[in-house]
Amino acid sequence: INAEYMGRRRERENRKSMLSLLGRLRHTAQSIAAPTWNRIRTFATQQQQRSPPPPEAGPHPPETFLGFIRIPKFLLKQAIVASPNFNRWLIPPCALSMHLCIGSVYAWSIFNQPLTQELGGVVSAADDWELSRVVPCFSAAIICLGVSAAVASTWLERVGPRCVGTVAACCWAGGHAVASFGVYMHCLPLVVLGYGVLGGCGLGLGYVSPVSTLLRWFPDRRGMAAGLAVAGFGGGAIFAAPLNRWLLGYFRRAPEYVGDPEELNLVTEAGRRFVKIGDKLREVVVATHADLAAFPGLKEGAYLVGTGCSGVTQTFLTLSAVYFAVMITSAMAFRVPADHWVPKGWTPPVGNTMISSKNVLISSAVRTPQFALLWIALGCNITAGIAIIGSATTMIRDILATTMPDIATPSFCASYVSSIAVASIVGRLFWSSLSDYIGRKTTFALFFGLGVPLYLSIPTVAHMASVDPSIVPVLLFYASTMVIFSMYGGGFATVPAYLADLFGTKFVGGIHGRLLTTWSCAGVAGPLLLTYFRNRAQNSALHDLAFKVDPVRFEHTFGTSLTPSNLDVLIQAKTVTIPQLMLLVPPNIPDPTPFMYNDTMYAMATLLSTAFVANALIQPVDSEHHMEDDHHHHHPHTSDTTPHTTSSSIAASPPSATAGKI
């Protein structure tokens, strides 16, 4: 018992000793840490109370591209601030030149036929790309245009237009070079990667940099400035269409002619046509008189697949060098005005509720209903226009060439593409300048109100052309589509000023870039709708025509019996076409080719009706979205009648409230 008692006593003494030691250690630690903590807390409080240094006080970190490529200083915004006596009218030619280069994307339809006949040479071979696979190259470029414009808009505000324009030149020219290699390798994904993705990024970067620059140089003429900025983009096809056609003709080489199909022993295997040359079977394509309308001097008959050259490879490579030289020169000439610069004698307008003198942050603007409604309205307008632009050459050839082959020649189709560019550039200048007088909202209402009946008139004109092959339906078709394209271009030219009216000019470049994401969606929807409705109408017409042909004659011509399964194989291999079937059907059967776009036009009219409603719902931006700085930092020339917080009231307010306002 005594031993147990002594053991418990020692345990109690040990615990007391340990607690005493811990107490002394705690006291020592507090005596050391308390002064140090007090000094740290005092220093932190002083730093919080001290005002932050101005941006110019410290050195700027070096700007980089993609996070690791250091940008030279001469490309940055700080190096291109113009002197007070700089002539602002030197900037529009630079912006116009850059937009003329990237605007050549609207001449893409010139490449549709050569790309779909890359192997066949005169008509499509079985392994040639279909139109529905070629048009997405254009769609991918438009998608990447909108995405890159949105992503780069904030970067543009930081590094300036010279740097962004230089990157745009490298992307647009480099995309053509990659696409050239893709055509040479007959690898469509590489063409999409080059022209669509890399080139599309060049489009977006090259599009936004001149627009925001001109809006800063011309705050007194926003509509005109926006029109000048994007007029080149709409007019690029004026020069690109004849240039592309000339280059394709210069580099093109016809395939090897084999002979008359009636005199050759053609063999049909899996829908393909072959001819025996020596001891080998060589694939051939059979071209009719209608197929050779675009190739004067060639005879009807069979041509060896893979023996010709479309000229697309060499054309893309040549354009790459030309575009790079022009765009890099334009980028180097860009200048930006100094902060708070305004034209001499100009005072911002006061009293127009649809023109705001306040600024809205990018993050706030994209959450407003006005941004969403304008996104929908502009997107519907772009979808309707871009559906036709992407396949303009193919469409006019389908509608007019069957009944008027002497009019719808290759040169006529190329001139039509140039006319689209003329209408677009005139529309950009006319509608944007008109919007300075009648307002942006009224201008957009005219776009959609006139566009619906014009789209609905095109099926009627196509029917007139098939019944009465005269110059009248040609003129009506031309007039309707040219007005449509003028309003398509006018929408692009007017929307930057529309945004500046709603959200102010301070961040209009970034907001404009975000809005252009609707262009990406339209770049998918427009061509997709057109090719879907066209392919559906074409397949229906092929089946209808085929079963109106005498089965014996069909088997003699195509080397296989007329059954639904055999017909599908022949259509898939591009052996059976509408021109070939029209030679076999009874003479009273009308050609269905001009009517393959009717459903597309009805769909486009529906889209414009939706855009009309969206535009009608747009109202001025609520004051809760305006920047706080606009309420107590006024430009000397700005007149603001809105009640605002003065500096004296801020000074008199409690510190917490003042910090919140700041």
Side-chain angles (χ1 to χ4, degrees):
I1 294 172
N2 184 53
E4 183 178 354
Y5 169 76
M6 294 301 295
R8 292 178 179 177
R9 183 178 178 181
R10 283 193 298 269
E11 289 179 3
R12 287 195 297 271
E13 291 176 352
N14 289 337
R15 283 197 296 270
K16 289 180 181 179
S17 300
M18 183 62 68
L19 291 174
S20 177
L21 178 61
L22 290 175
R24 289 194 298 271
L25 289 175
R26 180 182 177 185
H27 177 73
T28 303
Q30 287 179 345
S31 63
I32 297 174
T36 305
W37 172 250
N38 290 334
R39 284 194 295 269
I40 294 174
R41 186 169 55 184
T42 302
F43 177 77
T45 304
Q46 292 174 351
Q47 291 298 317
Q48 289 177 354
Q49 295 174 351
R50 186 177 301 170
S51 59
E56 300 80 57
H60 293 277
E63 292 286 352
T64 60
F65 177 64
L66 299 179
F68 63 92
I69 302 176
R70 187 166 181 173
I71 301 174
K73 291 184 178 180
F74 73 92
L75 294 178
L76 296 176
K77 189 176 184 178
Q78 295 81 1
I80 60 173
V81 177
S83 62
N85 297 324
F86 182 80
N87 185 357
R88 61 176 177 168
W89 290 98
L90 296 176
I91 301 299
C94 303
L96 189 65
S97 299
M98 180 167 289
H99 270 201
L100 283 172
C101 292
I102 61 176
S104 63
V105 69
Y106 283 147
W108 168 261
S109 61
I110 297 290
F111 297 113
N112 280 342
Q113 185 178 10
L115 287 173
T116 56
Q117 299 174 356
E118 178 69 20
L119 299 177
V122 288
V123 294
S124 298
D127 291 329
D128 269 321
W129 301 321
E130 297 178 356
L131 180 65
S132 58
R133 297 182 62 198
V134 170
V135 171
C137 296
F138 174 76
S139 301
I142 301 302
I143 294 169
C144 293
L145 185 159
V147 173
S148 62
V151 172
S153 56
T154 305
W155 187 55
L156 167 66
E157 301 293 337
R158 189 171 74 249
V159 300
R162 177 184 287 182
C163 178
V164 177
T166 301
V167 177
C170 296
C171 291
W172 184 233
H176 277 75
V178 174
S180 173
F181 183 68
V183 176
Y184 176 77
M185 298 297 296
H186 199 67
C187 177
L188 188 60
L190 199 56
V191 180
V192 175
L193 176 65
Y195 191 93
V197 179
L198 184 59
C201 291
L203 290 176
L205 297 174
Y207 189 89
V208 295
S209 53
V211 173
S212 63
T213 304
L214 280 181
L215 285 175
R216 286 189 174 92
W217 278 113
F218 294 90
D220 52 335
R221 303 179 183 181
R222 293 177 182 176
M224 184 212 68
L228 286 174
V230 299
F233 192 82
I238 297 176
F239 305 98
L243 176 62
N244 293 350
R245 183 170 170 269
W246 181 82
L247 289 173
L248 288 171
Y250 180 80
F251 292 117
R252 178 183 167 274
R253 188 178 71 252
E256 183 180 340
Y257 179 73
V258 180
D260 190 340
E262 298 292 336
E263 301 174 359
L264 299 172
N265 186 19
L266 296 181
V267 179
T268 303
E269 293 183 3
R272 303 174 185 235
R273 311 302 297 277
F274 295 89
V275 64
K276 192 171 184 180
I277 299 178
D279 56 349
K280 293 183 179 179
L281 286 176
R282 299 285 300 276
E283 185 178 355
V284 297
V285 292
V286 178
T288 65
H289 177 73
D291 295 325
L292 297 175
F295 306 99
L298 297 183
K299 297 187 296 184
E300 296 183 58
Y303 290 84
L304 285 179
V305 173
T307 57
C309 175
S310 66
V312 178
T313 298
Q314 299 87 336
T315 299
F316 275 161
L317 204 56
T318 305
L319 293 175
S320 174
V322 173
Y323 291 151
F324 181 79
V326 176
M327 292 177 69
I328 202 71
T329 303
S330 300
M332 292 300 154
F334 278 142
R335 297 289 187 276
V336 295
D339 291 340
H340 308 301
W341 175 90
V342 293
K344 292 181 180 179
W346 176 73
T347 302
V350 177
N352 190 336
T353 59
M354 285 301 293
I355 300 180
S356 175
S357 61
K358 308 298 181 182
N359 294 302
V360 181
L361 289 169
I362 299 175
S363 57
S364 299
V366 297
R367 293 196 295 267
T368 61
Q370 288 82 359
F371 183 89
L373 291 170
L374 192 55
W375 193 94
I376 294 171
L378 182 65
C380 292
N381 189 47
I382 297 173
T383 302
I386 214 167
I388 300 179
I389 289 176
S391 301
T393 304
T394 307
M395 185 184 71
I396 194 170
R397 189 175 64 247
D398 289 341
I399 292 176
L400 301 178
T402 53
T403 55
M404 290 174 278
D406 295 335
I407 294 179
T409 60
S411 58
F412 176 83
C413 295
S415 67
Y416 179 73
V417 175
S418 298
S419 299
I420 292 175
V422 172
S424 181
I425 194 172
V426 170
R428 290 168 194 248
L429 294 173
F430 171 75
W431 292 109
S432 60
S433 299
L434 180 65
S435 71
D436 286 334
Y437 298 96
I438 67 174
R440 327 297 176 196
K441 186 174 181 179
T442 305
T443 304
F444 266 57
L446 286 176
F447 293 160
F448 311 134
L450 294 175
V452 172
L454 288 174
Y455 274 103
L456 293 176
S457 69
I458 293 178
T460 304
V461 173
H463 177 73
M464 291 175 58
S466 64
V467 175
D468 179 24
S470 64
I471 196 64
V472 175
V474 177
L475 293 177
L476 290 175
F477 180 82
Y478 235 90
S480 299
T481 54
M482 291 306 112
V483 175
I484 287 172
F485 293 129
S486 76
M487 295 186 296
Y488 169 81
F492 282 112
T494 309
V495 78
Y498 206 160
L499 289 171
D501 292 347
L502 292 171
F503 304 109
T505 59
K506 188 170 185 179
F507 301 106
V508 68
I511 299 171
H512 186 216
R514 300 297 195 279
L515 186 72
L516 290 182
T517 54
T518 191
W519 204 348
S520 300
C521 299
V524 177
L528 185 64
L529 286 172
L530 184 137
T531 53
Y532 168 75
F533 287 122
R534 182 184 183 276
N535 289 342
R536 189 178 70 171
Q538 185 181 42
N539 288 333
S540 176
L542 285 169
H543 283 81
D544 290 343
L545 290 175
F547 287 100
K548 293 176 182 177
V549 178
D550 180 28
V552 177
R553 192 176 182 186
F554 184 93
E555 185 172 358
H556 173 73
T557 304
F558 298 107
T560 185
S561 59
L562 179 57
T563 63
S565 58
N566 289 343
L567 180 60
D568 289 336
V569 173
L570 292 171
I571 292 174
Q572 185 67 27
K574 307 179 186 66
T575 300
V576 169
T577 62
I578 291 179
Q580 291 175 331
L581 291 177
M582 289 304 299
L583 298 175
L584 304 178
V585 297
N588 61 334
I589 302 297
D591 193 328
T593 304
F595 311 109
M596 292 194 298
Y597 299 90
N598 289 5
D599 291 343
T600 302
M601 300 306 153
Y602 300 145
M604 299 304 110
T606 304
L607 285 175
L608 290 189
S609 301
T610 305
F612 184 89
V613 175
N615 179 67
L617 295 175
I618 295 178
Q619 299 297 325
V621 176
D622 194 277
S623 60
E624 67 179 9
H625 299 290
H626 294 158
M627 291 177 60
E628 289 292 335
D629 288 342
D630 288 340
H631 294 287
H632 51 267
H633 292 294
H634 287 277
H635 192 274
H637 297 292
T638 303
S639 175
D640 183 13
T641 59
T642 306
H644 56 275
T645 305
T646 63
S647 57
S648 60
S649 65
I650 293 177
S653 60
S656 59
T658 304
K661 292 179 183 293
I662 294 174

